[in-house]
Amino acid sequence: MGPALSWLADPIEGYRIILIEKNTHYNHVFAYPRACVIPDMERELLIPYTHLFEDDKVGMVVNARAITINKDHVVLDREVAGFGNKIDYSYLVYAAGATVPTPGRFPECTKAGVIARLKEYQAVIAKSERPIIIGGGAVGIELASEIKERYPEKDVRLVHSRTRYLPRYKVSMDVTIYNILKRKGVKQVQGHRVVIPSGSFPLEVKPIEVQTTTGKTISGDLAILCIGMTPNSELMKAFAPDSINKQTGFVKVKPTMQIDDDKFTNIFAIGDVSDHTDVKTGHYAWMQGLSALDNIKKMIKGANQNELEPYKSKDLALIKMVLGKV
């Protein structure tokens, strides 16, 4: 979205930006933890893309999924008016993100589908008396806090494999989070890694015993998994395998945010899918996108590789978290 809005404000004649987006609506995923708890909030989180660009010569949003990258075009999973099943490009920004378990993200691509999933979480959380939240990342922390604030009578447990929350951030953040959760009455189980059963935990309310690798048993009636991030780098791996970090699966990038493959200097990678030292947050994805767009504009105007600007990261672990309303 960052590059799209920047381009909208300052386009270059003869070029247009095309967003290939599988979702029909922009999803405010940062509010999902609260929307999983508070009824009707889900209707505020989905914004249609239909009016992002008023002029097709400046930009368009194409509702489809990219299934193949080629050196000068992207193949789509469906026919799209005006394009067929492929879109030609001069420059490509690969911003495929990462797969995060529900409820951090949902695989559904329509407004109705996402709303149905959020309502499903609202229903089981309301019914549960002893929910167990597994994973002390941002989603798990916020979800545990929201549940306890909305339903103070519930016995909420947050299980985290480490002894500190969000270790890439300052120690003071860990202390603040711990104390807020403690004040709300969330029972925190730290330093215990949960054994994930085959097929994960079912989203239903029934007696359950969660086992940890340290031999601890945690009893409850609902287990919600909030761990893991897998880069969506499959398309880039098939197209430019040398650009992939073999250990992590993330897309390696140059300081300019171009992919680390000299055969494809017109292709960039940003956000959660990129193998950058920035923390994986929307703020940094936005800033990386603006940097990539600036360099694309330079290239359109004739700049050579040495004239491109490196992305200047703040080199700080920044995140916005909301632990309930109070």
Side-chain angles (χ1 to χ4, degrees):
M1 285 297 293
L5 294 175
S6 178
W7 178 268
L8 182 61
D10 184 28
I12 295 178
E13 187 176 355
Y15 289 82
R16 64 174 172 175
I17 189 170
I18 297 175
L19 272 65
I20 302 173
E21 173 57 54
K22 63 183 177 62
N23 295 322
T24 60
H25 291 64
Y26 178 79
N27 288 219
H28 284 284
V29 297
F30 308 108
Y32 276 5
R34 179 170 293 180
C36 283
V37 179
I38 299 178
D40 297 327
M41 185 181 172
E42 67 278 355
R43 300 187 181 278
E44 303 174 15
L45 308 183
L46 299 136
I47 313 271
Y49 286 106
T50 46
H51 298 295
L52 180 59
F53 297 106
E54 299 294 346
D55 184 352
D56 288 353
K57 294 181 180 179
V58 173
M60 291 182 64
V61 179
V62 172
N63 183 213
R65 187 190 301 269
I67 57 174
T68 308
I69 298 173
N70 292 285
K71 65 178 182 178
D72 56 4
H73 69 275
V74 174
V75 179
L76 308 177
D77 67 343
R78 68 198 74 173
E79 294 282 329
V80 175
F83 295 99
N85 72 337
K86 73 182 183 74
I87 296 178
D88 297 331
Y89 68 84
S90 300
Y91 302 92
L92 177 69
V93 178
Y94 191 69
T99 298
V100 177
T102 58
R105 302 284 193 280
F106 293 109
E108 284 75 15
C109 299
T110 65
K111 179 177 181 178
V114 172
I115 286 177
R117 292 302 302 276
L118 287 169
K119 285 184 172 295
E120 183 182 15
Y121 274 88
Q122 292 168 10
V124 295
I125 287 171
K127 183 178 178 181
S128 169
E129 296 179 357
R130 296 179 296 150
I132 302 169
I133 310 304
I134 301 167
V139 173
I141 292 167
E142 290 184 339
L143 183 59
S145 179
E146 293 288 350
I147 294 173
K148 192 63 178 178
E149 183 171 292
R150 177 79 174 184
Y151 303 106
E153 74 282 1
K154 295 186 186 296
D155 180 14
V156 181
R157 295 175 187 268
L158 175 60
V159 186
H160 187 39
S161 62
R162 305 187 185 202
T163 56
R164 175 180 164 187
Y165 295 122
L166 306 179
R168 284 203 61 181
Y169 300 84
K170 293 182 177 180
V171 174
S172 58
M173 188 165 195
D174 165 63
V175 173
T176 300
I177 291 170
Y178 182 89
N179 288 334
I180 290 174
L181 294 177
K182 182 178 179 181
R183 186 175 69 245
K184 288 176 178 290
V186 175
K187 295 178 180 177
Q188 302 171 74
V189 182
Q190 295 182 310
H192 293 273
R193 185 178 298 277
V194 169
V195 178
I196 311 299
S198 176
S200 193
F201 295 98
L203 189 64
E204 59 181 335
V205 179
K206 66 177 184 180
I208 188 172
E209 289 190 341
V210 172
Q211 307 293 330
T212 73
T213 56
T214 53
K216 187 177 182 64
T217 300
I218 304 166
S219 298
D221 62 5
L222 173 66
I224 300 179
L225 196 63
C226 299
I227 61 173
M229 173 184 280
T230 305
N232 297 325
S233 56
E234 296 84 2
L235 298 187
M236 191 59 69
K237 182 179 180 180
F239 173 67
D242 291 342
S243 70
I244 303 298
N245 183 318
K246 301 300 190 294
Q247 282 69 48
T248 65
F250 291 98
V251 181
K252 295 184 293 184
V253 291
K254 299 177 180 179
T256 54
M257 300 309 298
Q258 293 162 296
I259 65 170
D260 194 10
D261 189 327
D262 291 337
K263 297 189 297 294
F264 308 109
T265 57
N266 63 329
I267 298 179
F268 297 72
I270 65 167
D272 287 356
V273 77
S274 70
D275 189 26
H276 197 279
T277 55
D278 281 347
V279 291
K280 305 299 185 186
T281 63
H283 168 80
Y284 279 117
W286 189 286
M287 299 309 294
Q288 291 171 12
L290 294 182
S291 177
L293 180 62
D294 285 345
N295 279 329
I296 288 172
K297 286 184 171 181
K298 288 178 183 294
M299 295 172 77
I300 289 173
K301 295 174 182 178
N304 60 41
Q305 186 66 31
N306 293 331
E307 294 174 312
L308 302 184
E309 291 289 335
Y311 163 62
K312 296 179 177 65
S313 172
K314 293 181 180 178
D315 200 25
L316 284 173
L318 300 174
I319 191 171
K320 293 181 180 179
M321 292 185 64
V322 181
L323 302 187
K325 296 180 180 178
V326 295

